Amino acid sequence: MSVFRFPAGSSFGEAMWYANAGALEFLKPKNIVLCMNLGHDLHEKSGIPAMEKLVEDIRRVMKIKKLKAKLILMPAIPGGVNAEDEMRKRNLRFDAAVSKLADGKNVLWCDYTEDFYTKDDGRVRDEYQKGEFNLTPAAFARIAEALKATIESGKSSSREIVPPPYPERELTLMSYNVRYMQGGMDDFWEPGRAVEVIRRVRPDILGIQECNRNASWSFGIDGPTALGHMIAPLWRCEFGAGHRDPETKEEDGVAVFALEDAVSVKRLALPDKKKYGRMFLAVEYPEFWVANSHFSLHEDMRLKGVEVIAEFAKTVDKPLFFMGDWNAQPNTATMAEIRKHFKILTDESVPTFSSARPHAAIDYIAVDKAHADKVKVKSFNVLHEPYASDHMPLVLKVTLAK
């Protein structure tokens, strides 16, 4: 029998490269085996959809290239100390999702893990595992035996995998008006100061306001993308421009950064008395939405913007975190209207502006009221940093119920 196994350590993208580059039709395998796992830097709620897309894409390539091979999906390598270990639970959730992609005909599921664990405490059997991650020769022999049985029978394994429930997820959210990275007191353009503040926090989600692209005074750079690469090379950035100058091509707006891939992005224009308007940027991730905005300086314009945002909030089916520089103090009509639709998660009594002489709270992080019961605040801080910007950054740590 001929079997093609993608090289160990291949990412999903690399696996597709091998498929598209001719490896499959060159070898003409009768069976293609996918042994997939989640890397430590890939969150499972992003990794599972990526894995599903990989299987779909490989099947598409096989159809285009008229390959009649069977695609065999295998579980993640067993890991974790026992049945209660979070790594074990994570792998089981992954395996449950993978197994559902098998159709029993062209895509088969080969489950070799049924007898890997002891019955008493759920540990991997001593004869199969050495240490926490290393499998023994006996384990590989068991995997080969199961794979051979699947290939020869042409049938999927029948055991159903029941995925454990997801645990609460902890998130660190940060909102920061970076003032175009010009500093808070000296008007000197130095991105490194804001970058250093953000690096110290290491947030899961970052929303920044007053960022731009193609401005002559910042050397025409793509500010949000450059900032993201300086903070962490793997960060994904979504940008929403409230203003685009038709002559200079300069764009001014807000951005959201995360390690996870976005599911979808919404950009809604908000009214303002200035010619360029404002932007409400909403980014959907697998478990939640993150929205970011920099409101008008005028109360009537802010209230009209809240109407737009409230209508959008009605459409989401998961928690919507809303952050930004709202240019409104707690006792304003703007905040009263926002509280009808959102629960403010940050402490409104703590000033966020200005960084040189803190006297007003105008920056906030909130969650939509429809999903507020799923979010618990663990801690909140306003960082005193007078040189990086004229605003102070907000850092909020929450737990998100599944």
Side-chain angles (χ1 to χ4, degrees), residues 266-386:
K266 297 288 185 182
R267 296 175 176 87
L268 303 176
L270 303 182
D272 198 357
K273 290 182 179 179
K274 293 183 178 181
K275 63 181 180 180
Y276 54 80
R278 302 280 176 163
M279 171 59 60
F280 175 78
L281 172 66
V283 185
E284 182 187 7
Y285 297 101
E287 297 176 80
F288 50 83
W289 285 82
V290 175
N292 186 13
S293 191
H294 185 193
F295 279 3
S296 169
L297 295 171
H298 307 281
E299 185 88 280
D300 57 338
M301 295 292 102
R302 292 197 298 263
L303 290 170
K304 289 181 180 179
V306 174
E307 291 179 9
V308 175
I309 294 166
E311 286 302 311
F312 172 78
K314 295 176 184 178
T315 67
V316 302
D317 59 356
K318 61 186 80 171
L320 168 62
F321 292 106
F322 178 27
M323 62 179 63
D325 173 3
W326 299 347
N327 277 319
Q329 296 194 52
N331 61 351
T332 59
T334 297
M335 292 305 298
E337 193 63 30
I338 288 177
R339 290 189 199 98
K340 293 179 182 178
H341 311 283
F342 290 88
K343 177 183 178 181
I344 309 300
L345 300 175
T346 48
D347 187 343
E348 299 179 53
S349 69
V350 181
T352 64
F353 180 87
S354 71
S355 59
R357 296 177 181 175
H359 65 277
I362 59 174
D363 303 85
Y364 306 88
I365 303 176
V367 65
D368 68 303
K369 281 193 170 181
H371 300 94
D373 60 334
K374 294 187 175 183
V375 177
K376 295 179 181 178
V377 175
K378 292 190 67 179
S379 65
F380 167 65
N381 289 289
V382 173
L383 306 183
H384 183 61
E385 170 49 63

Side-chain angles (χ1 to χ4, degrees), residues 1 110 142-155:
M1 66 182 169
C110 175
R142 172 71 187 92
I143 294 171
E145 178 186 344
L147 180 58
K148 181 179 179 182
T150 299
I151 291 173
E152 291 179 347
S153 68
K155 296 180 180 179

